[in-house]
Amino acid sequence: MKVFLAAWGALSVIATQAMAGEDSLRPEVIEWGASAADIEKSLEGKCANGFVNRPIDPPFLQNVEDKQVQIDCDGLDFLGAPRWTEFVIGDDRLQMVWVMVDAEDRDTVLKALQNAYGEPSHQTDMFTAFVDHRAAWREEPPEVLFYSGELDAGMRSWFDNPN
Protein backbone atom coordinates (compact mmCIF):
# COMPACT_ATOMS: atom_id res chain seq x y z
CA MET A 1 0.00 0.00 0.00
CA LYS A 2 2.87 2.39 0.83
CA VAL A 3 4.41 1.80 -2.61
CA PHE A 4 1.07 2.50 -4.29
CA LEU A 5 0.60 5.73 -2.30
CA ALA A 6 4.15 6.90 -3.08
CA ALA A 7 3.67 6.21 -6.80
CA TRP A 8 0.27 7.93 -6.77
CA GLY A 9 1.81 10.97 -5.05
CA ALA A 10 4.60 11.22 -7.65
CA LEU A 11 2.11 10.92 -10.52
CA SER A 12 -0.09 13.59 -8.94
CA VAL A 13 2.87 15.98 -8.70
CA ILE A 14 3.74 15.40 -12.38
CA ALA A 15 0.13 15.86 -13.51
CA THR A 16 -0.27 19.04 -11.47
CA GLN A 17 2.93 20.48 -12.90
CA ALA A 18 1.98 19.61 -16.45
CA MET A 19 -1.34 21.41 -16.06
CA ALA A 20 0.22 24.44 -14.38
CA GLY A 21 2.82 25.04 -17.12
CA GLU A 22 6.57 25.16 -17.33
CA ASP A 23 7.28 27.55 -14.46
CA SER A 24 5.65 25.15 -12.02
CA LEU A 25 8.55 22.69 -12.36
CA ARG A 26 11.20 25.25 -11.48
CA PRO A 27 11.27 25.83 -7.70
CA GLU A 28 9.46 29.07 -6.88
CA VAL A 29 12.44 30.44 -4.94
CA ILE A 30 14.40 30.80 -8.20
CA GLU A 31 14.48 34.42 -9.26
CA TRP A 32 17.14 35.01 -11.90
CA GLY A 33 19.41 37.92 -11.08
CA ALA A 34 18.47 37.88 -7.37
CA SER A 35 21.25 38.75 -4.92
CA ALA A 36 22.67 36.26 -2.43
CA ALA A 37 20.92 38.15 0.38
CA ASP A 38 17.58 37.97 -1.45
CA ILE A 39 18.02 34.24 -2.06
CA GLU A 40 18.84 33.65 1.60
CA LYS A 41 15.64 35.50 2.58
CA SER A 42 13.55 33.48 0.13
CA LEU A 43 15.03 30.20 1.47
CA GLU A 44 14.18 30.91 5.11
CA GLY A 45 12.00 28.06 6.34
CA LYS A 46 12.27 26.17 3.02
CA CYS A 47 15.49 24.25 3.66
CA ALA A 48 14.57 21.48 6.07
CA ASN A 49 18.13 21.22 7.36
CA GLY A 50 19.27 24.82 6.78
CA PHE A 51 21.51 26.40 4.18
CA VAL A 52 25.07 27.69 3.90
CA ASN A 53 26.58 30.43 1.72
CA ARG A 54 30.13 29.61 0.60
CA PRO A 55 32.63 31.18 -1.81
CA ILE A 56 33.61 29.32 -5.00
CA ASP A 57 37.21 30.16 -5.91
CA PRO A 58 38.11 30.00 -8.68
CA PRO A 59 34.71 30.74 -10.22
CA PHE A 60 33.45 28.36 -12.89
CA LEU A 61 30.74 30.67 -14.27
CA GLN A 62 31.75 32.62 -17.35
CA ASN A 63 32.22 36.38 -17.11
CA VAL A 64 32.47 36.59 -13.30
CA GLU A 65 34.34 39.81 -12.58
CA ASP A 66 34.19 39.96 -8.78
CA LYS A 67 33.20 36.72 -7.06
CA GLN A 68 31.11 33.60 -7.22
CA VAL A 69 29.27 32.13 -4.25
CA GLN A 70 27.04 29.13 -3.81
CA ILE A 71 24.15 28.78 -1.42
CA ASP A 72 23.54 25.14 -0.56
CA CYS A 73 20.04 24.32 0.66
CA ASP A 74 19.50 20.95 2.32
CA GLY A 75 15.92 19.74 1.98
CA LEU A 76 14.25 22.06 -0.57
CA ASP A 77 11.04 20.50 -1.87
CA PHE A 78 11.28 19.45 -5.53
CA LEU A 79 8.82 17.05 -7.14
CA GLY A 80 7.40 16.18 -3.75
CA ALA A 81 10.64 15.25 -2.00
CA PRO A 82 13.31 17.15 -0.02
CA ARG A 83 16.39 17.72 -2.19
CA TRP A 84 19.89 19.14 -1.86
CA THR A 85 19.85 22.27 -4.04
CA GLU A 86 22.76 24.52 -5.05
CA PHE A 87 22.16 28.16 -5.97
CA VAL A 88 25.14 29.50 -7.96
CA ILE A 89 25.58 33.27 -7.82
CA GLY A 90 28.05 35.23 -9.94
CA ASP A 91 28.73 38.89 -9.14
CA ASP A 92 25.73 38.84 -6.76
CA ARG A 93 23.23 37.64 -9.39
CA LEU A 94 21.63 34.18 -9.37
CA GLN A 95 22.78 32.39 -12.52
CA MET A 96 22.36 28.64 -12.05
CA VAL A 97 20.51 26.17 -9.81
CA TRP A 98 21.33 22.47 -9.46
CA VAL A 99 18.77 20.15 -7.81
CA MET A 100 20.21 16.79 -6.75
CA VAL A 101 17.98 13.75 -7.18
CA ASP A 102 18.38 10.00 -6.73
CA ALA A 103 19.28 7.81 -9.70
CA GLU A 104 16.03 5.87 -9.23
CA ASP A 105 14.14 9.16 -9.80
CA ARG A 106 15.47 9.43 -13.37
CA ASP A 107 12.34 8.31 -15.24
CA THR A 108 10.00 10.36 -13.04
CA VAL A 109 12.12 13.51 -13.35
CA LEU A 110 12.61 13.17 -17.11
CA LYS A 111 8.86 12.66 -17.54
CA ALA A 112 8.19 15.79 -15.46
CA LEU A 113 10.69 17.77 -17.57
CA GLN A 114 9.06 16.56 -20.80
CA ASN A 115 5.57 17.28 -19.49
CA ALA A 116 6.66 20.81 -18.62
CA TYR A 117 8.93 21.59 -21.58
CA GLY A 118 8.09 19.18 -24.41
CA GLU A 119 10.62 17.14 -26.33
CA PRO A 120 14.28 17.69 -25.42
CA SER A 121 16.43 19.81 -27.71
CA HIS A 122 19.56 17.76 -27.00
CA GLN A 123 20.11 14.24 -25.73
CA THR A 124 23.44 12.51 -25.03
CA ASP A 125 24.81 9.93 -22.61
CA MET A 126 25.66 12.86 -20.29
CA PHE A 127 22.48 14.96 -20.37
CA THR A 128 19.01 15.67 -21.70
CA ALA A 129 18.54 19.40 -22.35
CA PHE A 130 15.56 21.67 -22.93
CA VAL A 131 17.44 24.78 -24.07
CA ASP A 132 14.38 26.85 -24.95
CA HIS A 133 13.40 26.58 -21.27
CA ARG A 134 16.95 26.74 -19.85
CA ALA A 135 16.69 23.38 -18.09
CA ALA A 136 18.51 20.06 -18.30
CA TRP A 137 18.85 16.63 -16.70
CA ARG A 138 22.40 15.45 -15.96
CA GLU A 139 23.03 11.71 -15.81
CA GLU A 140 26.01 11.65 -13.44
CA PRO A 141 25.57 12.73 -10.82
CA PRO A 142 21.78 12.67 -11.27
CA GLU A 143 20.57 16.25 -11.04
CA VAL A 144 18.41 18.87 -12.69
CA LEU A 145 19.88 22.15 -13.90
CA PHE A 146 18.04 25.44 -14.31
CA TYR A 147 20.02 28.42 -15.64
CA SER A 148 19.48 32.11 -16.30
CA GLY A 149 19.12 33.90 -19.61
CA GLU A 150 22.57 35.40 -19.05
CA LEU A 151 24.04 31.90 -19.48
CA ASP A 152 21.84 30.97 -22.42
CA ALA A 153 24.37 31.40 -25.27
CA GLY A 154 27.17 29.61 -23.43
CA MET A 155 24.97 26.73 -22.34
CA ARG A 156 23.48 26.32 -25.84
CA SER A 157 27.01 26.21 -27.24
CA TRP A 158 28.05 23.60 -24.68
CA PHE A 159 24.97 21.44 -25.36
CA ASP A 160 25.68 21.71 -29.10
CA ASN A 161 29.35 20.67 -28.58
CA PRO A 162 29.72 18.84 -25.24
CA ASN A 163 33.16 17.40 -25.97
Side-chain angles (χ1 to χ4, degrees):
M1 186 63 163
K2 281 185 176 181
V3 172
F4 172 77
L5 291 174
W8 181 255
L11 289 173
S12 296
V13 167
I14 292 169
T16 300
Q17 288 168 341
M19 290 184 293
E22 70 182 61
D23 288 338
S24 65
L25 187 60
R26 191 173 54 229
E28 65 183 28
V29 296
I30 296 176
E31 184 181 330
W32 300 123
S35 70
D38 288 340
I39 294 164
E40 287 179 354
K41 285 179 196 168
S42 70
L43 289 175
E44 286 180 15
K46 291 186 173 74
C47 303
N49 299 308
F51 61 86
V52 68
N53 183 334
R54 61 188 174 94
I56 304 296
D57 193 24
F60 62 80
L61 289 173
Q62 297 176 352
N63 302 324
V64 172
E65 294 179 17
D66 184 27
K67 67 179 179 178
Q68 178 177 324
V69 299
Q70 181 169 304
I71 298 174
D72 297 332
C73 173
D74 187 3
L76 184 71
D77 182 67
F78 180 72
L79 292 177
R83 312 291 184 164
W84 180 269
T85 306
E86 300 171 346
F87 294 79
V88 182
I89 301 136
D91 293 331
D92 210 27
R93 290 185 324 278
L94 180 62
Q95 298 293 319
M96 182 178 280
V97 177
W98 292 95
V99 182
M100 309 308 140
V101 296
D102 296 322
E104 50 272 3
D105 294 330
R106 181 185 189 278
D107 292 342
T108 301
V109 172
L110 280 171
K111 184 71 169 170
L113 286 163
Q114 287 180 325
N115 285 342
Y117 306 132
E119 289 300 311
S121 58
H122 299 75
Q123 209 161 4
T124 72
D125 291 342
M126 291 189 306
F127 58 79
T128 300
F130 303 83
V131 296
D132 289 339
H133 303 281
R134 297 188 309 269
W137 161 266
R138 185 158 99 175
E139 293 291 340
E140 190 58 42
E143 55 193 350
V144 177
L145 168 66
F146 299 100
Y147 56 94
S148 76
E150 288 184 55
L151 300 182
D152 193 45
M155 294 302 294
R156 281 176 186 265
S157 177
W158 187 81
F159 289 130
D160 286 341
N161 304 293
N163 297 325

